[in-house]
Amino acid sequence: VGRLGIQPTMGWKLGVSGAYGPYLSEQAAADPDMPAGKSPEDYNQLVFGVDGEYSVWRCELFFELLRNQWEVPNLSASSLGNTGGYVEGTVALKPGFYYTLRVGGIRYDKIDDGSGNQIAWDYDITRVETGVEYYITRDTRLKSSLQLNYWDQDADDDDHMVGFQLATIF
């Protein structure tokens, strides 16, 4: 696991990150579907990402893009993968009072469905989240948010959530 970042100017921060290694639990070794002569350590996950941040006046902009790939036992394709990311903007409306909007999503690679067709191995999702946050004191904040989740057109339903949070440090 590693990350390298630079700050080319006062308002900009840019970074790259990555991770590589086994991801299956030891219990997978006992699974009857584990290929003979193989162990969980033989299957790795590779993650590579880029991220950035830009700040000006009372506004901050963040973005992140990640590529994730898993080696999977008993899969005709050599691996499963997905690509995800988001863009988020925050503005300080008043001291201690913030508004945030985030748009993101995950897109899944296509695999053979067994009949020669190429289909995504899970439902793509697009997520929009917005909310306000107010710092009551330096260590206590009140937050409300609305999250809208839009799944691929083949999924059953869209899942939306409303949340409220009171958090403090002690």
Side-chain angles (χ1 to χ4, degrees):
V1 175
R3 181 175 186 283
L4 178 65
I6 62 169
Q7 185 171 355
T9 67
M10 196 64 166
W12 272 105
K13 293 180 184 175
L14 301 170
V16 295
S17 57
Y20 180 80
Y23 70 96
L24 292 173
S25 70
E26 289 302 317
Q27 289 87 358
D31 190 309
D33 292 328
M34 178 63 73
K38 294 287 190 174
S39 73
E41 293 81 24
D42 293 327
Y43 299 95
N44 294 299
Q45 177 182 15
L46 171 66
V47 181
F48 177 79
V50 296
D51 61 88
E53 176 183 335
Y54 181 69
S55 302
V56 63
W57 190 54
R58 297 185 295 179
C59 303
E60 295 178 314
L61 181 69
F62 303 93
F63 69 88
E64 187 170 15
L65 181 66
L66 288 169
R67 175 70 185 154
N68 202 348
Q69 202 154 339
W70 298 268
E71 297 171 342
V72 180
N74 299 320
L75 183 67
S76 60
S78 60
S79 65
L80 290 177
N82 66 24
T83 303
Y86 71 89
V87 174
E88 176 181 300
T90 299
V91 61
L93 301 172
K94 288 185 167 189
F97 188 55
Y98 300 88
Y99 171 75
T100 300
L101 175 66
R102 175 189 280 214
V103 178
I106 302 173
R107 302 293 176 257
Y108 292 87
D109 291 355
K110 296 188 183 305
I111 59 171
D112 190 317
D113 69 356
S115 62
N117 296 319
Q118 295 291 308
I119 61 168
W121 62 272
D122 204 347
Y123 295 113
D124 292 345
I125 183 170
T126 300
R127 176 173 291 153
V128 178
E129 187 172 354
T130 187
V132 293
E133 182 174 36
Y134 177 67
Y135 281 80
I136 299 166
T137 68
R138 181 178 180 159
D139 297 332
T140 305
R141 65 185 172 143
L142 183 61
K143 182 178 181 180
S144 68
S145 62
L146 171 66
Q147 185 180 85
L148 306 173
N149 296 291
Y150 301 100
W151 299 91
D152 186 312
Q153 69 272 8
D154 294 332
D156 293 334
D157 294 313
D158 297 328
D159 298 313
H160 308 306
M161 296 182 280
V162 175
F164 299 95
Q165 179 184 52
L166 176 64
T168 189
I169 299 171
F170 54 91

